[in-house]
Amino acid sequence: MEQTVTMTVNGKPVSARIDRRMLLVQFIREQLQLTGTHIGCDTAQCGACTIHLDGRAIKSCSILAVQAEGASITTIEGLANGELHPMQKAFNDCHALQCGFCTPGMVMSAVQLLKDNPNPTEAEIREGLEGNLCRCTGYQNIVRAIEQVAAGGN
């Protein structure tokens, strides 16, 4: 059973005929070839698939693509506008990535965190990242990167 979906992704209108059971993360990766959004656990536990849907961070493995009909979506590829987003730059500067698998989702969640709370404490940053798992970094450099952006360091 197919359905046509239309939405805006990274500022560009897209429309496609898809299986109604397709997850949004699959649509982003397979139909749009935007592979920065990763599939980690497929159970909305790890946060690797985090994107912004209508200005809010969501785990794109937790909703169907048809549920995003008419929505505005930003992926990690759309976060940069000709140059790295300050959060992407801070993650690089602070060595807040190792294998890089969780990084896109972590960056998207961090951007949302600072949008909701521009001056978070370390505890608030750690709480804000609870839905994103990283098996490599131990989170300290990730927290430092977010603190750097919050302090206006980028």
Side-chain angles (χ1 to χ4, degrees), residues 76-86 88:
I76 192 72
E77 292 92 345
L79 199 58
N81 191 10
E83 59 185 58
L84 291 179
H85 183 278
Q88 291 169 310

Side-chain angles (χ1 to χ4, degrees), residues 25 28 37-40 44 46-51 58-62 105 132:
V25 68
I28 290 167
T37 302
H38 294 159
I39 299 173
C46 74
C49 66
T50 303
I51 61 160
I58 64 137
K59 294 175 183 175
S60 60
C61 76
S62 67
N132 294 79

Side-chain angles (χ1 to χ4, degrees), residues 2 5-6 13 26-27 40-41 49 51 55 61 76 82 88 96 111 113-114 121 127-128 136 138 148-150:
E2 290 190 342
V5 293
T6 303
Q26 294 168 318
F27 177 74
C41 65
C49 66
I51 61 160
C61 76
I76 192 72
Q88 291 169 310
V111 168
L113 171 68
L114 292 188
T121 64
E127 182 180 331
C136 300
Q148 178 177 306
V149 175

Side-chain angles (χ1 to χ4, degrees), residues 4-136:
T4 300
V5 293
T6 303
M7 59 190 76
T8 302
V9 179
N10 299 331
K12 298 176 184 167
V14 298
S15 184
R17 190 128 182 99
I18 61 166
D19 184 312
R20 293 183 358 195
R21 298 166 296 179
M22 178 178 273
L23 294 173
L24 182 56
V25 68
Q26 294 168 318
F27 177 74
I28 290 167
R29 289 181 57 83
E30 296 168 15
Q31 296 289 318
L32 304 180
Q33 299 298 303
L34 297 172
T35 57
T37 302
H38 294 159
I39 299 173
C41 65
D42 254 348
T43 61
Q45 300 296 311
C46 74
C49 66
T50 303
I51 61 160
H52 293 172
L53 180 116
D54 290 335
R56 300 294 310 159
I58 64 137
K59 294 175 183 175
S60 60
C61 76
S62 67
I63 70 167
L64 298 172
V66 295
Q67 291 175 285
E69 173 66 32
S72 178
I73 292 172
T74 303
T75 68
I76 192 72
E77 292 92 345
L79 199 58
N81 191 10
E83 59 185 58
L84 291 179
H85 183 278
M87 191 64 71
Q88 291 169 310
K89 185 169 178 354
F91 266 60
N92 184 54
D93 293 347
C94 294
H95 308 286
L97 46 94
Q98 285 185 6
C99 83
F101 192 81
C102 72
T103 304
M106 195 75 73
V107 167
M108 298 304 285
S109 292
V111 168
Q112 181 72 54
L113 171 68
L114 292 188
K115 180 181 171 189
D116 294 342
N117 181 357
N119 193 24
T121 64
E122 180 180 340
E124 290 169 329
I125 291 171
R126 289 182 182 278
E127 182 180 331
L129 295 177
E130 282 181 341
N132 294 79
L133 300 178
C134 176
R135 292 180 173 93
C136 300

